[in-house]
Amino acid sequence: MKFTFVLTFLLFLGFSGLQAQNKFSAKILDATTSKPLFGANTSVEGTNLGATANEEGSILITKIPNGPQVIIFSFLGYTSQFLNLNFPLEEEMTFEIRLEPKGEEME
């Protein structure tokens, strides 16, 4: 019984090391002014992973699962964008995302 527990524990440790440790970084900017969008939201569709842009518009999301993922960028008053990526990425890079302001609606 003790051997089974130890073996199970060791297998768990081994598989936990194989879990995806993918990272995604981006800078989110206003498409018109090129100013950073402080507070813009980024999330990985279908997960609880996400980040909020800092004062420079930068975000970092870690522990993204391997395989195809949809990254969603949104900010109040702007049109959301969706980016389809396949993790792991071939190279680490910081993506530049430019969100378009929504036009004012006329009555």
Side-chain angles (χ1 to χ4, degrees):
M1 180 72 169
K2 187 174 185 179
F3 174 75
T4 303
F5 174 74
V6 171
L7 183 60
T8 303
F9 181 73
L10 290 175
L11 284 172
F12 173 75
L13 285 178
F15 285 121
S16 66
L18 296 175
Q19 289 181 342
Q21 296 297 313
N22 299 304
K23 295 187 281 187
F24 174 81
S25 62
K27 188 165 189 170
I28 307 170
L29 306 171
D30 179 297
T32 310
T33 65
S34 296
K35 291 186 179 180
L37 291 178
F38 173 59
N41 294 306
T42 306
S43 61
V44 180
E45 187 176 64
T47 73
N48 62 351
L49 301 173
T52 301
N54 65 15
E55 296 85 6
E56 290 83 35
S58 298
I59 61 96
L60 175 65
I61 302 174
T62 59
K63 300 183 181 178
I64 299 173
N66 285 335
Q69 303 294 337
V70 178
I71 313 295
I72 304 168
F73 305 92
S74 61
F75 194 57
L76 188 63
Y78 288 79
T79 302
S80 296
Q81 277 193 31
F82 301 84
L83 182 61
N84 294 297
L85 295 172
N86 194 25
F87 289 90
L89 299 175
E90 290 184 18
E91 64 179 85
E92 278 192 35
M93 61 186 296
T94 300
F95 288 78
E96 186 174 284
I97 307 300
R98 295 180 172 268
L99 296 183
E100 293 283 343
K102 288 184 181 176
E104 292 185 31
E105 294 182 13
M106 304 291 273
E107 289 187 32

